Every structure is written in C-alpha cells, then in structure tokens.
Amino acid sequence: MATDTIYKASTTAPVNIAVVKYWGKRDPKLNLPTNSSLSVTLSQADLRTLTTATCSPTYQGEDSLILNGEPSDITGARTQACLRELRARRAALEAENPSLPKLSTMPLRIVSENNFPTAAGLASSAAGFAALVRAIANLYELPSSPTELSLIARQGSGSACRSLFGGYVAWRGGEQADGLDSKAVEVAPASHWPDMRALILVVSAAKKGVSSTSGMQQTVATSDLFQGRIATVVPAHMDKMEAAVRDRDFTAFAEVTMKDSNSFHACCMDTYPPIYYMNDVSRAAVRAVEAINAAAGKTVAAYTFDAGPNAVVYYLEENSGPVVGTFYSLLQGTNGWKDSAKSYDSAAVKLDEATESLLKGGVSRIIQTAVGEGPIKTDQHLA
Amino acid sequence: MATDTIYKASTTAPVNIAVVKYWGKRDPKLNLPTNSSLSVTLSQADLRTLTTATCSPTYQGEDSLILNGEPSDITGARTQACLRELRARRAALEAENPSLPKLSTMPLRIVSENNFPTAAGLASSAAGFAALVRAIANLYELPSSPTELSLIARQGSGSACRSLFGGYVAWRGGEQADGLDSKAVEVAPASHWPDMRALILVVSAAKKGVSSTSGMQQTVATSDLFQGRIATVVPAHMDKMEAAVRDRDFTAFAEVTMKDSNSFHACCMDTYPPIYYMNDVSRAAVRAVEAINAAAGKTVAAYTFDAGPNAVVYYLEENSGPVVGTFYSLLQGTNGWKDSAKSYDSAAVKLDEATESLLKGGVSRIIQTAVGEGPIKTDQHLA
C-alpha cells in the first residue's frame, strides 16, 4: 500500500420532520432529551446532505470541514464529540487487527453539501450530522449498526440520530445519566407505509426566531405547562403514533401529529419570555388544512411546525387532489412545484379570503416530497 | 301613591380586565368556573355602561331591554336567570313589608348604553350585566351587598361578577355544586393602589375569532395542558397576584399578569382544533413591552390579552414616559390619545422595524385609562 493513498467514503443522509416533537434537554452536554420523539424520514431525492470523508497519511494539520463550499468550524464540542467517538471505535479495530491502516491517526477532510437552500430554514443539522457520522463510519469500516451510530450522531445534534434510518423513526429518550439508552430505532421502514407524502410551505419569517438550542432550554426552565407535556402528553402521543404507523391509520397519525405540534408551540408560548415560532401565515396554513379536511369529510391532511414558521403538511398519495390541488391553485406562482401538481388543480378546496391572502403573501417556496430511505452509500465523491 | 307612578333607578358599571384569567366552566348552566380569577376594574370615565331600570303598574306586556338604541332580546337563559333572582329578592321584601309597592309584579323596562364602541371588541358583557343587576337592585331597593349581587351577575356573564367592585377584584371560583361560594370579593379598593394605568391597543382582527363562551369549553374538553393550568398554575398565580396587589409590587404584578396571559393563550393554542386569539400585531405589542422594560432596566409595563387580539398594557403613572411615550411616538396618528400623551413623546423607546410596522399597520384605536371605582348610582336616567 502506497503511503500516499487517500482513503475515501461518501454517503447521503436525509432530513426528518418530527410528528412527536423533541423539545427540551435533560442533559445539554450529552444532548439527552426530556422526552422521546418520533419522525418521518423525507426522501433524499428532494432533501439530502451529501458528505465525503477522506483521510490520508499525506494530509497535514488538523481535521477540516468544507460545508456548501465554505470552510466550516469543527472545533465545537458537538462536532468534536462525534469525531472523538468515531476515531475511538476505529482505533479499537486497528488494535484488534494490526494489518489495518491506521486511519484513526490521520487528519480527516470532510466535504459536505445540501441539495436544498439553507435559506429554506429546514433543520439541516439533522441531515448534516447524520451524514458526517455515517460517512466517517463508512471510511473507518466500522461494524456499528445505525442505532449504535445514532448514539454518536445524537451528540452532534439531537434530531440527527433519527436521520440514520429511513421511514418512521423513534428516538427513545432513555433514562440513564450516561445516555447509552438514548438512541434511535426504526418503528417501520418506508416500505411499510410508502404512500406518505409531505408538502412543505416555506414561510419567510419577519425576523430570525430564537434558536431551538436555546429556546428549548428556556422552555424547560420557565414553562409551567411543560411538565404536563413531558410527563403525560408526549408518552401518550408516542404510544398512539407508533400504533398509527403500525396500523397505517392516517386519521390517528394526523390527529397526534397536529395535537403534538400544537402542544409544542403552546409550551413555547408559555415560555417566559414567550417564544413565537408560528406567525399569521403559519396559522393560515393550519386553517387551510382544517378546511381541506372539512371539505373531504375526513382527515386527509395534517400540519406540523418545527422551530420556525414553515408548515409541513403530511398526506397520503391517494389524497393528493384536495391537498396538493388546494395549495397549488393558490400558490402556483411559487417556486418548487412538481409537474404533477397541476393535475390536481381541479380538486382544489376554496379557502376564506383572509387565509388565502396570508398564504399568497407569505409562502416563498414549495417542497413536494415523501417518506424516504435512510443514509445511502455513494461513489459520487465531493472533491 | 298614584298608580301611574314610574319607578326608576340608574347606575353606571365598569369594564374589568383580568390579570389572572377566567377560562373554563365547571358548570356552564350556573357559570361556575374551573378556576378563580382576578381583575383590575377600569375607570368609568373612559369605559362604562349606563343602565336605567324602570317599572310601573302602567306598563303592559313583557320585560324589555333597549341596548345602545336597539331593542335587545332578554329571553335568553342568562338574562332570565338574573331577572328571576332579582325579582325573587324583591318579592321577599314585599312579603315581609306589605306597605312596599309590588314592583316584583310589574314589567321591567331597561335601557342601556355603552360609552365605547362595541366594535372595539372589549368585553362589554361584564359591564352590561353588572349594570343590569346593579340598576334593578337599586330599583328594588335590595339590601344585597356587591358580593351577594355578584352571585346573580355571574349567572349573566361570568366576568360580570367582578365588575360590581372597583379596584382589584377576585372571583373566588368556589367548589359547591350550587355555586353559592362562586362570587366576587374586593382584594383592594382603587384607592389602595391608585396609580395603576392601562393603555389599550385596539387591534382589528382579520376575522371574528371563536367566542369565549364556546372557546373555553373546547379548551376544557380537548387541551391536555389545561389541567396543569387549573390545578397548579392559576392557584399559584392567584396567591402571587394577591400579594403583589397588597404590597403594591408592580414587578410581581407584571410578571404574573404576563405569565398568566401567556398560559391562557397557550391553552387556547393547545385546544383541538387550536384557537388563536393573538395575531402578529398582538405579538408585536408583546415585543414592544419587552423592549420598553429592557430599556428601562426594570419592569415598567405588563401586557395581557383577553379572547381577542387587543393588547392591554398595565403600567404605573410614574412610568408613563417610556410606556405611553413609546406607543404614542409610533401611533400618534391613531384615535383615542389623551392630550397628556404628547408630553411623553421624548421618552419613547426605539423598537425594531418589524415590530413598528406591525403596530402601525394593525392598531386601529387607543384607549388610555386607569384603575377605577365600581358601579355608581346616578340620576342621569336613560329615557
């Protein structure tokens, strides 16, 4: 083996949008949550991070990361924790098998790119840390399972642990102080319920809101209603949601999704000083979903909102007509629609004027996507 | 006594704005609340209902009510309950003292007027039912105390029971099924803490929200966080608020006022489907109050919101500069300012652009008022 070899591995990793929300840490250092959460992994055809990890005996200096073309700081405690744990696992393999190249001793060069604008305000850290951990695990040829890697990715960004799986994923909050029981598990693969779709309405916020990292701890410290959420509301939502996914029961999936989003944002509003992530445009999206469901005479759409004003609307392929049709007829001038959207125009549901004008004025971009797979190894290397 | 005598009595009654909110009934028929509440009675110089009650042996037909110039239906169960209870008390007096004219047997004619536009969306039912009950009690020369009358007014409109007193008023929720312990008491008269001021920013809602009567019962039925509010949050807020009023501690008064409003609106948002009373303009008012307090380096203003987008900002006379000055400098084109407002312009606090443009675009009227007295008997009769 020539000493100028460059070892290389690449992967893509998906975004996930929680339907039972992660909000609150019981241990900020280890990223241990106050409650379990559950998410749907979204298709990497529409939203993904591609990351290439390389190392070489010829590399000089420190580890480095280039993110979307820009040199990025990796000296932060979160990233360092991930690199340290991955190196330790590689070093253990090298100790067991002296014939292995000593990759754990070489500087890492990591290059990462998202296929969606960060401006969209979609939590890119989940896909980013999942791709970082998965790419380096591939480079190091670690035998670790996705759940084992989720313990590492969690320390980079809590929700990143859920992006190591496709389909329907639970993050078991765990109870141990060392966090070894706080990890992601697959509730069901995408193939179990493949017709789940997501329509994302990207809403431009008047000004940047409180970061989720600081916001969630303000909630833990000051919201008097939050205890009820973590003690009784979320455990009940987790049970109902796992059953809904198991049974492919969209009505139950939708109700828990909407109620959990409402409960989360209610706790943000109950934080002191109050945190507002949803705005009038977000609320108009809620009214639109309610109108679509009322017109259908059943639940065909569910809204959920993360720590920002964007609306994510989950629906089943078979109900694309009223769901996609309604938003398309209103927002066809907006970027991001797939050609298929036009065909549903005729099924559009009429909304009230206030709701229509808020959505027309406030939605800046559309992302039409669906439930998807977990990280995928690729030979498409960056740099 | 000529049989054509017309018996007549008039009173004015005030509006009150709660700082610990009434939201939820344990008995909708008797208007028994799920929790106690506490309010500040506002000056009748700015906001009041004037009601004249008359009866006469010459009157024919049914009882009648003319409200703001329009004949108004009084056959509703709420109004009938008030009239029935008042008549029963009069009849008891007449039975004890046969020399009394039999007013309880005569039709009642009630005429009522508000000195503020109903359009303002201020809860006028509290002042309305307090004035109705107080006027008829005066007409019937009932010996009943304000607390005794509060048991009657409560059946007309829950919060009306608090408008029978001036100053700082608690509505003890009570526990009895018959509601005889669910009544208003004076926590402190206006004279105890006379320099309390209120600046009301009237915000035009895009469309009428859910009525509080139905909204609060939807919350009781569907909000998983609401139990925590009534079991622990409100009892703690009541204790702290009564102490804050007793000690004239504005910092404590303000914190409980803001937290209780946040908790109430959080429970509305946690209702399923969610209820939104505050809009982006309301939230801009919250940000403005936070900026005013930050600039002062202490708490000089407190926001609270009822079941609508209007902001009520409580402050002490001594802090009129930063509070009135900031809103006046921004909204001096808006109707309702008192001449004194100009003089505070120089003390205005600079707000961020998003907040300023939301307030400028969304505040339609200003009401500058203060803590005030309870119902006042008057010889100014309507009709």
Side-chain angles (χ1 to χ4, degrees):
Chain A
M1 177 184 76
T3 60
D4 62 356
T5 315
I6 291 183
Y7 303 91
K8 190 174 291 218
S10 295
T11 190
T12 59
V15 165
N16 72 78
I17 298 290
V19 288
V20 177
K21 304 294 189 187
Y22 158 50
W23 194 253
K25 303 177 200 282
R26 60 185 164 92
D27 180 331
K29 189 168 170 305
L30 290 174
N31 265 356
L32 303 180
T34 51
N35 55 270
S36 296
S37 54
L38 197 149
S39 59
V40 178
T41 295
L42 300 183
S43 170
Q44 297 177 64
D46 305 301
L47 301 167
R48 61 119 183 94
T49 297
L50 167 59
T51 297
T52 298
T54 68
C55 64
S56 170
T58 66
Y59 286 175
Q60 302 301 314
E62 303 298 310
D63 301 328
S64 68
L65 168 64
I66 293 176
L67 178 57
N68 294 324
E70 302 289 330
S72 177
D73 175 40
I74 57 169
T75 62
R78 298 286 178 79
T79 312
Q80 286 300 309
C82 294
L83 298 181
R84 190 170 54 247
E85 295 232 13
L86 290 159
R87 270 209 170 88
R89 281 165 174 68
R90 171 66 187 186
L93 293 182
E94 293 165 359
E96 287 165 22
N97 180 351
S99 71
L100 291 176
K102 303 286 180 292
L103 304 190
S104 66
T105 65
M106 304 174 189
L108 283 162
R109 293 186 187 171
I110 302 149
V111 183
S112 192
E113 278 178 11
N114 297 330
N115 68 341
F116 56 93
T118 314
L122 294 162
S124 52
S125 64
F129 274 102
L132 176 89
V133 169
R134 183 75 263 182
I136 296 173
N138 292 350
L139 176 71
Y140 286 171
E141 296 179 327
L142 302 182
S144 311
S145 69
T147 289
E148 290 171 315
L149 294 179
S150 77
L151 287 154
I152 301 175
R154 185 204 77 224
Q155 298 176 58
S157 170
S159 55
C161 72
R162 296 186 311 238
S163 278
L164 285 161
F165 290 93
Y168 304 83
V169 188
W171 174 9
R172 306 287 179 209
E175 286 159 8
Q176 294 175 214
D178 61 12
L180 293 181
D181 59 347
S182 186
K183 55 197 176 186
V185 298
E186 179 187 85
V187 172
S191 59
H192 168 74
W193 202 5
D195 47 348
M196 182 66 69
R197 301 288 175 266
L199 181 68
I200 304 175
L201 308 180
V202 178
V203 174
S204 32
K207 60 188 246 200
K208 186 84 185 72
V210 180
S211 83
S212 59
T213 305
S214 74
M216 64 174 67
Q217 292 315 87
Q218 292 171 36
T219 299
V220 171
T222 67
S223 169
D224 296 321
L225 299 176
F226 185 63
Q227 279 309 314
R229 170 169 168 79
I230 62 180
T232 64
V233 175
V234 170
H237 285 178
M238 286 297 291
D239 292 346
K240 287 177 183 167
M241 184 58 77
E242 291 187 58
V245 169
R246 182 193 63 224
D247 305 339
R248 301 186 194 87
D249 178 347
F250 186 81
T251 302
F253 171 93
E255 179 169 336
V256 175
T257 295
M258 294 187 278
K259 283 185 170 178
D260 196 78
S261 178
N262 295 340
S263 168
F264 153 49
H265 289 281
C267 289
C268 290
M269 173 174 269
D270 188 53
T271 300
Y272 190 74
I275 300 171
Y276 307 120
Y277 288 121
M278 294 171 68
N279 61 24
D280 284 351
V281 180
S282 313
R283 275 179 294 281
V286 169
R287 296 313 178 207
V289 166
E290 291 171 346
I292 289 165
N293 288 335
K298 60 178 182 171
T299 308
V300 297
Y303 55 78
T304 186
F305 299 83
D306 279 350
N310 296 345
V312 176
V313 179
Y314 283 113
Y315 61 100
L316 296 179
E317 170 65 23
E318 66 197 69
N319 296 314
S320 299
V323 180
V324 177
T326 300
F327 288 106
Y328 177 77
S329 71
L330 196 62
L331 304 169
Q332 47 193 282
T334 309
N335 290 333
W337 290 109
K338 295 184 173 178
D339 297 342
S340 60
K342 297 179 187 56
S343 62
Y344 302 117
D345 200 5
S346 58
V349 173
K350 179 72 184 139
L351 306 176
D352 67 76
E353 259 182 43
T355 300
E356 287 198 346
S357 67
L358 280 164
L359 290 172
K360 278 184 179 172
V363 177
S364 58
R365 188 164 186 276
I366 295 291
I367 297 169
Q368 266 183 281
T369 185
V371 62
E373 304 301 328
I376 299 165
K377 192 167 187 168
T378 173
D379 292 333
Q380 176 198 349
H381 302 298
L382 292 169
Chain B
M1 175 184 75
T3 58
D4 63 351
T5 316
I6 291 181
Y7 302 91
K8 191 175 291 221
S10 295
T11 188
T12 59
V15 164
N16 71 78
I17 298 289
V19 288
V20 177
K21 303 294 189 187
Y22 158 50
W23 194 254
K25 304 178 199 282
R26 62 183 162 94
D27 180 333
K29 189 168 168 306
L30 290 173
N31 265 354
L32 303 181
T34 51
N35 56 268
S36 296
S37 54
L38 197 149
S39 59
V40 178
T41 295
L42 299 183
S43 171
Q44 297 176 65
D46 304 302
L47 301 167
R48 60 120 183 93
T49 297
L50 168 60
T51 297
T52 297
T54 67
C55 63
S56 170
T58 65
Y59 286 175
Q60 301 302 317
E62 303 297 308
D63 300 329
S64 68
L65 168 64
I66 294 176
L67 179 56
N68 294 323
E70 301 291 330
S72 177
D73 174 40
I74 55 170
T75 62
R78 298 287 179 79
T79 311
Q80 286 301 310
C82 293
L83 299 181
R84 189 170 54 247
E85 294 232 13
L86 291 159
R87 270 208 169 87
R89 282 167 174 67
R90 172 65 189 186
L93 294 182
E94 294 164 359
E96 286 167 21
N97 180 352
S99 71
L100 291 177
K102 303 286 181 288
L103 305 190
S104 65
T105 65
M106 304 172 189
L108 282 163
R109 292 186 188 170
I110 303 150
V111 184
S112 191
E113 279 178 12
N114 298 329
N115 69 342
F116 56 93
T118 313
L122 294 161
S124 51
S125 63
F129 273 102
L132 175 88
V133 169
R134 183 74 264 182
I136 297 172
N138 292 349
L139 175 70
Y140 287 169
E141 296 179 327
L142 302 182
S144 312
S145 69
T147 288
E148 290 170 313
L149 293 179
S150 77
L151 288 154
I152 301 175
R154 186 205 75 224
Q155 298 176 57
S157 170
S159 56
C161 72
R162 297 185 311 238
S163 278
L164 286 161
F165 290 93
Y168 305 83
V169 187
W171 173 9
R172 305 291 180 207
E175 286 159 10
Q176 296 175 212
D178 61 12
L180 293 181
D181 60 347
S182 186
K183 54 197 176 185
V185 298
E186 178 187 85
V187 172
S191 59
H192 168 74
W193 202 4
D195 48 347
M196 182 65 70
R197 300 289 176 266
L199 181 68
I200 304 176
L201 309 180
V202 178
V203 174
S204 33
K207 61 187 239 198
K208 186 82 186 74
V210 180
S211 82
S212 59
T213 305
S214 73
M216 63 173 68
Q217 291 316 85
Q218 293 171 37
T219 299
V220 170
T222 66
S223 169
D224 296 322
L225 299 176
F226 184 63
Q227 278 310 314
R229 169 168 169 81
I230 63 180
T232 64
V233 175
V234 170
H237 284 177
M238 287 297 292
D239 292 346
K240 287 179 181 163
M241 184 58 77
E242 290 187 57
V245 169
R246 182 193 64 224
D247 304 339
R248 300 188 196 85
D249 178 348
F250 186 82
T251 302
F253 171 92
E255 179 169 334
V256 175
T257 296
M258 294 186 279
K259 283 186 171 178
D260 196 77
S261 178
N262 295 341
S263 167
F264 153 48
H265 289 281
C267 288
C268 290
M269 172 175 269
D270 187 53
T271 300
Y272 189 75
I275 300 170
Y276 307 120
Y277 288 122
M278 294 171 67
N279 61 24
D280 284 352
V281 180
S282 312
R283 276 179 292 283
V286 168
R287 296 311 177 209
V289 165
E290 291 171 346
I292 288 166
N293 288 335
K298 60 178 182 170
T299 308
V300 297
Y303 55 78
T304 187
F305 299 82
D306 280 349
N310 296 345
V312 176
V313 180
Y314 283 113
Y315 62 100
L316 297 178
E317 170 65 23
E318 67 197 67
N319 295 315
S320 300
V323 181
V324 177
T326 300
F327 288 105
Y328 177 77
S329 70
L330 195 62
L331 305 168
Q332 47 192 280
T334 309
N335 290 333
W337 290 108
K338 296 185 174 177
D339 297 343
S340 61
K342 296 180 187 56
S343 61
Y344 303 118
D345 201 6
S346 59
V349 172
K350 178 71 184 143
L351 307 176
D352 68 76
E353 260 181 44
T355 301
E356 288 199 346
S357 66
L358 280 164
L359 291 172
K360 278 184 179 173
V363 177
S364 58
R365 188 164 187 275
I366 295 292
I367 298 167
Q368 264 184 282
T369 185
V371 63
E373 304 302 328
I376 299 166
K377 190 166 188 169
T378 173
D379 293 332
Q380 180 199 346
H381 302 298
L382 292 169

